[in-house]
Amino acid sequence: MFYFAIDILGTIAFAISGVLVAMEKKLDLFGVLIIAFVTAVGGGTLRDMLIGNTPVIWMRESVYIFTILGTVFFAILFVNQLKYLRKTLFLFDTIGIGLFTMVGIEKGLSAELMPIMCIILGTITASFGGVIRDILCNEIPVIFHKEIYATACILGGIGYFLLIQFPFDGAYAYSAAIIIIIVIRLLAVKFKIALPTIYKTGKNQRQN
């Protein structure tokens, strides 16, 4: 029940982020629904296909469909209130990657994958819904920016596997890893911490 609740919370967070992006792009109601849907379940769909867990989870559990529909209705109804929250999209996107990274890691453990594969699966689960959302909305996906995004998922996953080596309830390690991911992402943006880019400027290019 604990892991299921985390999955639902992640679905809600990403669905809201999808609604906000779609409304910024002035899409119609159907467009808003589609963007919210792919944001919420895109990463999980890819994850389930990779581990052979088909039909994918949202096809087997209707609760995900109804959760997304309810979230879209709520977000549209209270969109003006949501806009009053500072950096609402960033907030829900950050919460979503923290929750979904751990959902993906848990799925990897259930499939008896190695820790590094579980971390990759968690990062895919957390990141690729947003990738699909941004591509459909004609934006460069956040994961490909200089911002710390997927790196936060990876570090949180590493933190989880380190924490479970200690003798306390696994749920605490699970929750702590989610907090690690969220905090890393928040701090990275606040203090403008970014990975180095690999490109040459005109001044550095060799003159022929």
Side-chain angles (χ1 to χ4, degrees):
M1 183 58 68
F2 172 75
Y3 301 122
F4 176 72
I6 295 296
D7 202 0
I8 292 298
L9 287 173
T11 300
I12 292 171
F14 267 147
I16 291 175
S17 78
V19 169
L20 293 173
V21 170
M23 294 188 74
E24 284 181 3
K25 294 294 183 178
K26 296 181 171 57
L27 302 186
D28 62 16
L29 180 60
F30 182 73
V32 171
L33 181 60
I34 293 300
I35 296 301
F37 182 82
V38 299
T39 307
V41 302
T45 298
L46 179 57
R47 173 202 67 214
D48 286 349
M49 292 175 65
L50 287 172
I51 62 176
N53 185 21
T54 54
V56 295
I57 186 68
W58 59 268
M59 290 184 172
R60 290 182 281 113
E61 303 287 345
S62 59
V63 65
Y64 292 93
I65 301 293
F66 291 117
T67 296
I68 294 169
L69 289 173
T71 301
V72 170
F73 175 77
F74 171 84
I76 292 174
L77 193 62
F78 295 100
V79 66
N80 290 328
Q81 287 75 14
L82 287 174
K83 286 180 179 178
Y84 284 119
L85 297 176
R86 185 172 180 271
K87 298 188 182 299
T88 308
L89 173 59
F90 167 73
L91 175 64
F92 282 106
D93 206 48
T94 300
I95 293 171
I97 66 169
L99 296 170
F100 269 6
T101 297
M102 295 313 301
V103 170
I105 286 176
E106 181 61 28
K107 295 289 185 180
L109 290 172
S110 298
E112 300 181 347
L113 299 179
M114 296 182 296
I116 188 172
M117 297 303 173
C118 292
I119 293 172
I120 291 172
L121 206 61
T123 303
I124 288 172
T125 305
S127 302
F128 275 78
V131 169
I132 298 170
R133 174 199 67 203
D134 292 342
I135 290 173
L136 291 177
C137 291
N138 198 30
E139 298 283 348
I140 297 175
V142 177
I143 190 175
F144 302 137
H145 289 184
K146 292 190 295 180
E147 293 180 8
I148 298 296
Y149 193 90
T151 307
C153 303
I154 294 168
L155 292 176
I158 293 171
Y160 172 73
F161 283 104
L162 292 175
L163 288 170
I164 59 175
Q165 304 305 315
F166 294 93
F168 49 73
D169 192 299
Y172 292 117
Y174 196 98
S175 301
I178 292 172
I179 294 171
I180 289 171
I181 295 167
I182 293 173
V183 169
I184 289 174
R185 174 90 169 116
L186 291 174
L187 291 177
V189 171
K190 180 176 177 59
F191 295 105
K192 295 180 172 55
I193 302 169
L195 296 176
T197 55
I198 303 175
Y199 65 91
K200 294 182 178 180
T201 63
K203 292 181 180 179
N204 293 329
Q205 290 178 343
R206 183 178 178 181
Q207 299 296 324
N208 293 324

